[in-house]
Amino acid sequence: MATTSDALQEAQERVRVCRENGDRPGLAHALVLLSAEFQKVARHEEGIAAAREAAALYRELGNQGGLVWALENVAGRCTAAGRHQEAAEATQERVDIQRAAQDRPGLAHALVTLGSNLQAAGRIAEALTAALEGTAVYRELGGPGGVAWALENLALRYTAVGRHREAAEANREVSDIHRAAQDRPALARTLVTLGANLLSSGEPEQAVVPARESVALYQALNNLSGFTWARQHLDRIAVVLAGRQPFEYAVPPPFTVEASFPPGAPLSTLGRNDSHMEVFTVDTNGRMWTSWWWHGAWEGSFLLAGHAFPPGAHVATVSRNDDHMEIYAVDADGQVWGNWWHGEWRGWFPLPGHTFPPGAPLTTLSRNEDHMEVWGVDRDGQVWGNWWNGEWQGWYPVTGHTFPAASHLVSLSRNDDHMELYAVDGLQRLHASAWGGGWSAWQRLGTYEFPAGSPLAGVSRHEEHLEVFGIDKDRQPRGNWWDGNTWHEWFPLGTRQFEPGTPLATVSRHEDHMEVFAVDAAGQTWGNYWDSEDWHDWFKVRDQQPFTGPAHLATLTRDDHHMEVFGVDGSGKRTAAWYVNGYWHDWFPLPAATTPVPDEEIPPGDERIFTLGKEIWVYSTVGMRLPLFCSEAQLICRQDGSWRFTAFMRNTEEDGDCQFDLFLRLNGVSRPFDFRLSGELGAPGDKEASRVGRRALGILPERHFEEEGHYDALTDPAFFREVYTCGATFTIAPPAWSDYIVPPTEDPEE
């Protein structure tokens, strides 16, 4: 047999002779063979050049069969060189030729190959289209071998686009073909892939069946590498199954009462990204609540416990980036407190050094990811601010003008280096101060007068625009704007009038749109909007009237086509209306803010018992993940905050020793309750063992374990009341597999 070097020299000599003799058909054939020899010695560029020259010759000769053969080799040489786009182009030409020639077998093969080349080139959608057509043609031709090959490739294309369930369907059909042909190696390989796709499609209970069969087949074939590969896939499925059935008690709703909010009270909103909205309000008992919307649904209401504020206190919010939120409010002692979220709420902290009237309005702003600012008007009418750039720097005065105590402030920023503050003084004149490295003197904006200290609203649509709104002392809504050079005179917003001092809320969905909202004396919500040319007249935000008179509103937008308006209705519940794609939807209640009933109202009794209703499968933490089971488990929650958990564990194997971790989790309460039992078990008949602490010393086939504890580490006072008032039992079905296979003892032959 010739060596690779000899074969390459022979192919080169054949090409040379054909060139000298002018034998063009022979030269085309020789060039294709030469390209294959170049690839064998990794001289990919020369191989591609030879195959392309052969294809060009076959085109000139009009030899379609030879051209198809040459193009197939061009694609193969390009694939070996990692030039997948060129491989796809060559294969596409081959497909076109065989389609025109109505060569159905050749077309089927070319289409499947084209799908592989397109996927390698990153053209995933086109790859799937080619694979689907190739599979359809093979089905027409009827050969099981071709259908199986096409389906295997189709499954890969489905997997690439994340359509794992359809990939699994293709795998299942391939396994049926291999099973009928009694091709056990191919069947074992396909079953592993089928299990992987079923797991990726969220069906671990179905995935475990082919995965277990593949392990058994590889064991019977004495293929250790295949067995190890299949066993790894089976273990991944087992981990998912174990994670789907933790030792959980599902807790029904506790005895609770719904919190109430002062009608018309101020709210504050925040959205970290397009998939998130959050609303903050202080209830009639001074507790801070948030309700949040996440990926299409309102998730519930959450109590930010740990500090209290005057009922209906103003709340200010700010976000520095998509993963951060901060809120601020003034407590009954005049101290500003903040709370921040970065994956979870971190708890209340004070901003000491200056005080403000209890519950006073604050305004916040973030110029960039490394900066936050908060301002308020103190009891003496002086504006004070505090700023953060990694740590809080302390309170400073914005001097030069005073305002009524606890006046409303509006803050705006046009860019990273600019901030503005607005407020109405005791002479009913609206003043502004700007920062561009230092604070400017306060200046009056226009000649119209507004109620002293009254709420204002503002918006900045882009860097060259600022807008401020208020309702003047004559009940007329007015606006003023800065156009990059100067402030203009106040202009009226439509013909509708509101009570002096009625709060306004603003929102801008994009640079060419602004919206203003207010509630009139009858409780009707009205809106007005500017759409790049003019302000329109006022319109009703639905005919519903959830409010009983003027009320604070808060607004939020997630994208260019969406707005949301929030308020506290006449019954003390938080309500919202939303706009999307040109249409306002009805007002709806936010998720109820519920709290546990007082201690004296809890039903009598000193403990509540939860009993396991059915055995639960647990998996060993070592070795082959031996299945165990637990029954007769019981949790006792005592009124004094203590608890006791007992469990009866048993090993289901006859010859397997194992270690395990048994997890208990109590969900549906203020703070999920979680702990772990660790132990060792052996097969029935193993030696006796004594228990030391939490671990069993020695090995037992079955054992009772006990744990006791107390809630002292949990500071939330609502926790135990919820535990105490929850329901009685839980039931969890075992997973779909419960045995294991001994690996082969000999190495595979290959």
Side-chain angles (χ1 to χ4, degrees), residues 187-200:
L187 175 60
R189 183 185 66 250
T190 302
L191 288 170
V192 174
T193 309
L194 172 58
N197 278 314
L198 286 169
L199 179 63
S200 296

Side-chain angles (χ1 to χ4, degrees), residues 335-596:
Q335 178 77 59
V336 176
W337 287 77
N339 201 334
W340 61 292
W341 182 95
H342 190 82
E344 63 180 350
W345 287 100
R346 303 306 178 94
W348 292 100
F349 62 91
L351 290 180
H354 203 73
T355 60
F356 300 85
L362 301 171
T363 186
T364 53
L365 186 148
S366 174
R367 295 186 286 115
N368 55 52
E369 289 197 2
D370 299 316
H371 183 93
M372 294 182 294
E373 202 113 3
V374 57
W375 298 272
V377 180
D378 69 9
R379 293 177 175 86
D380 299 322
Q382 177 69 59
V383 177
W384 287 79
N386 201 335
W387 59 290
W388 180 96
N389 66 344
E391 61 180 340
W392 287 99
Q393 302 296 319
W395 294 98
Y396 66 89
V398 183
T399 58
H401 205 74
T402 59
F403 302 88
S407 288
H408 290 263
L409 287 168
V410 166
S411 58
L412 292 175
S413 175
R414 296 186 289 112
N415 54 50
D416 287 357
D417 299 315
H418 185 90
M419 299 183 289
E420 303 229 358
L421 290 173
Y422 308 89
V424 181
D425 67 12
L427 299 177
Q428 305 185 91
R429 299 171 300 189
L430 194 149
H431 280 69
S433 180
W435 182 93
W439 286 99
S440 69
W442 292 91
Q443 61 170 316
R444 184 178 180 182
L445 297 187
T447 59
Y448 278 88
E449 296 180 343
F450 301 84
S454 63
L456 304 170
V459 66
S460 175
R461 296 184 286 111
H462 53 74
E463 289 196 6
E464 303 300 326
H465 182 91
L466 297 168
E467 199 113 4
V468 180
F469 307 92
I471 296 176
D472 70 18
K473 63 185 181 62
D474 297 319
R475 306 176 70 238
Q476 176 64 55
R478 292 189 179 275
N480 201 335
W481 83 100
W482 181 86
D483 59 7
N485 294 304
T486 185
W487 283 95
H488 295 257
E489 186 51 85
W490 293 94
F491 61 90
L493 282 180
T495 59
R496 183 160 296 280
Q497 294 187 326
F498 299 86
E499 292 298 311
T502 295
L504 293 171
T506 57
V507 68
S508 174
R509 295 188 281 117
H510 52 76
E511 289 192 359
D512 295 319
H513 185 92
M514 296 181 288
E515 204 113 1
V516 178
F517 302 92
V519 181
D520 66 17
Q524 176 66 56
T525 305
W526 296 84
N528 201 334
Y529 67 98
W530 180 90
D531 57 2
S532 78
E533 293 183 358
D534 297 302
W535 284 95
H536 296 255
D537 207 354
W538 293 88
F539 64 90
K540 291 182 179 180
V541 180
R542 309 301 291 168
D543 287 329
Q544 300 163 285
Q545 292 182 221
F547 308 103
T548 56
H552 286 273
L553 298 174
T555 56
L556 197 62
T557 177
R558 294 185 291 107
D559 54 53
D560 288 356
H561 306 290
H562 174 267
M563 294 182 292
E564 204 112 1
V565 179
F566 305 88
V568 179
D569 67 16
S571 65
K573 292 181 172 58
R574 299 162 302 165
T575 184
W578 59 293
Y579 166 98
V580 63
N581 295 328
Y583 177 74
W584 280 97
H585 293 258
D586 283 343
W587 292 89
F588 65 92
L590 294 186
T594 57
T595 58

Side-chain angles (χ1 to χ4, degrees), residues 81-128:
R83 291 159 61 172
H84 302 293
Q85 182 63 39
E86 296 171 63
E89 292 169 357
T91 308
Q92 182 63 64
E93 185 178 355
R94 176 187 164 198
V95 166
D96 295 341
I97 293 170
Q98 291 178 307
R99 195 189 300 279
Q102 298 185 356
D103 177 2
R104 304 294 285 171
L107 175 61
H109 186 278
L111 284 166
V112 174
T113 306
L114 176 61
S116 177
N117 290 330
L118 287 169
Q119 180 173 322
R123 296 160 62 180
I124 307 299
E126 297 170 85
L128 179 58

